[in-house]
Amino acid sequence: MPRQLFRRIVSYKPKYFAKIMTVPELRHLRRKALLARKSVGFVPTMGALHQGHLALIRQAAKENDQVYVSIYVNPTQFGVNEDLSSYPRTWPEDRVKLQALTAEFSTNNQLGQIAAVFMPSTKEMYPSAPPTSEIDGQGSFVTITPLSARLEGASRPVFFRGVATVCMKLLNIVQPERVYFGQKDIQQTFVVKRMVKDFHLDTEVRVGSTVREADGLAMSSRNVYLGERRRAVALVLLNSFKEVQQVFARGARKRRYLYNAAMDKLLLVQKQQEALPKGKRALFEVDYISIADPDTLDELEEVTAERGAILSGAIKMLPIEDSQEGEETGLGGGKSTVRLIDNIRLDLLSAKVGYIP
């Protein structure tokens, strides 16, 4: 066989991925990869893919022979009155994005390939009984305490129970060498790392940097709900972090000074919006601001320049009160509350240059 033709054959990578709906199918494919000594990187998602998800898939392709992506809107991480039914489900658009990545990877022999997209039904993921979102609901759940009860967990008491449970299921099904999460969901990465450690799961948790829009807003599948008016005001959370960076760079280390810098900015913009007419304002509520240890996520009373901290927060963009004719109000017409989270690593170097990772 001519050497040139041989090279083309051995470097060929499929331009299509397998769409898998059942656990046995996925395990069969995984076993084939194992026997072929192919490493697998796993990117769990709920779909509505954006550049943040795609960055994680690219990272997985750099570090593994094969990439598995899951798309599953997990009901157990939504509270009873949360947005499960309206959560965006965009498989046609997601498929196009994944196909484009597959074509991109096929031209580079240094990258792995997207081998499978796992799209199970809820019956497949919860085979014994329908899942529940009640706080005291019955079922087979994984809980990671006390970490799951803080911050996001305080506002959404079943959220991390659902996240830990579905991640345990997915990691048990896929058994990847590496699993990938984004830094935007920083508390989720802590919960999953703790679960992997405490339950001796044989996988490495990898965390990719937060991907942001051009103006700095952290990318999220929920951003499609915002619309123009709320989208502009939503930057207030990131801007409050910038205020903290400034006082930290000037020497403030005590929690009260750092916390107050964030809250002063948030309350100022909140009052400005409240003073506007209903047809122009975008109201929001502050859920929390956290200044936490970068290793444990415990709240800090003082931040050292050497170790820094995780600065995180959440706000709720309230429904638009009086939408104007022709106004772009986002998916759902601006009628739902949109909860936004963000975080940055607070350290001396990034604070001095105003860097937002």
Side-chain angles (χ1 to χ4, degrees):
M1 178 182 296
R3 180 170 295 182
Q4 185 177 11
L5 179 59
F6 176 73
R7 283 177 178 169
R8 286 179 182 174
I9 292 174
V10 298
S11 65
Y12 171 77
K13 291 195 282 188
K15 293 185 178 180
Y16 303 98
F17 47 79
K19 179 182 175 183
I20 294 177
M21 311 292 286
T22 69
V23 172
E25 286 179 284
L26 193 287
R27 283 182 167 160
H28 175 71
L29 187 68
R30 182 65 181 97
R31 178 165 176 76
K32 288 174 63 176
L34 184 65
L35 293 175
R37 299 181 182 275
K38 300 290 187 182
S39 62
V40 169
F42 176 46
V43 183
T45 82
M46 295 204 300
L49 302 181
H50 53 67
Q51 288 300 321
H53 297 115
L54 304 189
L56 293 177
I57 296 171
R58 288 190 175 97
Q59 182 180 350
K62 289 179 181 178
E63 299 176 356
N64 302 275
D65 299 312
Q66 295 184 353
V67 180
Y68 291 10
V69 178
S70 68
I71 294 179
Y72 174 62
V73 181
N74 174 41
T76 62
Q77 67 193 66
F78 290 81
V80 174
N81 296 316
E82 292 184 6
D83 58 347
L84 173 61
S85 61
S86 62
Y87 192 87
R89 292 163 171 82
T90 58
W91 168 239
E93 293 85 354
D94 292 346
R95 178 175 56 195
V96 171
K97 293 173 184 177
L98 293 171
Q99 288 172 339
L101 279 183
T102 302
E104 174 186 321
F105 297 163
S106 69
T107 64
N108 189 337
N109 290 332
Q110 302 302 313
L111 298 177
Q113 67 186 52
I114 300 176
V117 177
F118 184 43
M119 299 179 63
S121 66
T122 294
K123 176 63 177 175
E124 191 75 15
M125 291 300 292
Y126 294 87
S128 297
T132 177
S133 293
E134 302 289 343
I135 293 177
D136 58 351
Q138 297 185 1
S140 300
F141 298 115
V142 177
T143 57
I144 309 297
T145 58
L147 185 56
S148 291
R150 306 171 188 163
L151 306 178
E152 290 297 293
S155 298
R156 307 177 66 190
V158 303
F159 176 66
F160 286 119
R161 183 184 72 182
V163 167
T165 298
V166 78
C167 285
M168 177 68 87
K169 289 171 178 281
L170 289 168
L171 292 177
N172 183 43
I173 294 165
V174 178
Q175 298 186 13
E177 275 77 16
R178 300 169 191 89
V179 62
Y180 295 81
F181 296 91
Q183 182 185 321
K184 182 183 78 70
D185 301 296
I186 188 69
Q187 190 177 0
Q188 175 175 273
T189 69
F190 274 73
V191 169
V192 173
K193 284 181 178 180
R194 180 76 58 82
M195 182 185 74
V196 165
K197 178 181 179 180
D198 288 353
F199 288 92
H200 303 283
L201 302 182
D202 190 18
T203 193
E204 177 187 0
V205 180
R206 304 279 284 148
V207 180
S209 300
T210 300
V211 177
R212 299 182 179 277
E213 305 283 358
D215 61 2
L217 184 68
M219 288 192 176
S220 169
S221 298
R222 287 186 168 89
N223 288 352
V224 297
Y225 294 118
L226 290 173
E228 292 180 0
R229 194 194 311 181
R230 293 192 294 180
R231 171 72 174 72
V233 177
L235 286 168
V236 65
L237 183 57
L238 180 63
N239 290 337
S240 76
F241 293 169
K242 293 178 181 179
E243 295 293 324
V244 177
Q245 282 186 320
Q246 290 180 20
V247 299
F248 188 69
R250 292 197 296 265
R253 297 292 180 268
K254 297 291 186 181
R255 176 185 181 83
R256 64 179 181 274
Y257 299 124
L258 302 173
Y259 179 84
N260 287 343
M263 289 302 300
D264 287 349
K265 179 65 175 180
L266 291 164
L267 294 175
L268 173 63
V269 176
Q270 193 175 52
K271 289 180 180 179
Q272 290 173 342
Q273 290 299 311
E274 289 172 349
L276 294 174
K278 290 184 178 181
K280 293 184 178 181
R281 67 190 186 187
L283 300 182
F284 66 92
E285 296 176 352
V286 180
D287 193 339
Y288 66 83
I289 291 292
S290 168
I291 304 165
D293 185 280
D295 295 326
T296 66
L297 219 58
D298 292 333
E299 294 297 318
L300 296 174
E301 290 302 319
E302 185 168 352
V303 180
T304 65
E306 294 75 23
R307 299 195 68 242
I310 299 294
L311 174 61
S312 64
I315 61 173
K316 297 177 182 178
M317 299 301 304
L318 301 181
I320 292 175
E321 297 170 281
D322 183 13
S323 60
Q324 302 300 295
E325 184 176 354
E327 180 180 3
E328 197 281 293
T329 55
L331 185 66
K335 298 178 181 178
S336 61
T337 297
V338 183
R339 195 166 185 280
L340 301 175
I341 62 173
D342 201 353
N343 69 87
I344 64 170
R345 179 67 182 259
L346 181 65
D347 57 55
L348 196 55
L349 178 60
S350 63
K352 283 184 175 180
V353 299
Y355 173 67
I356 298 293

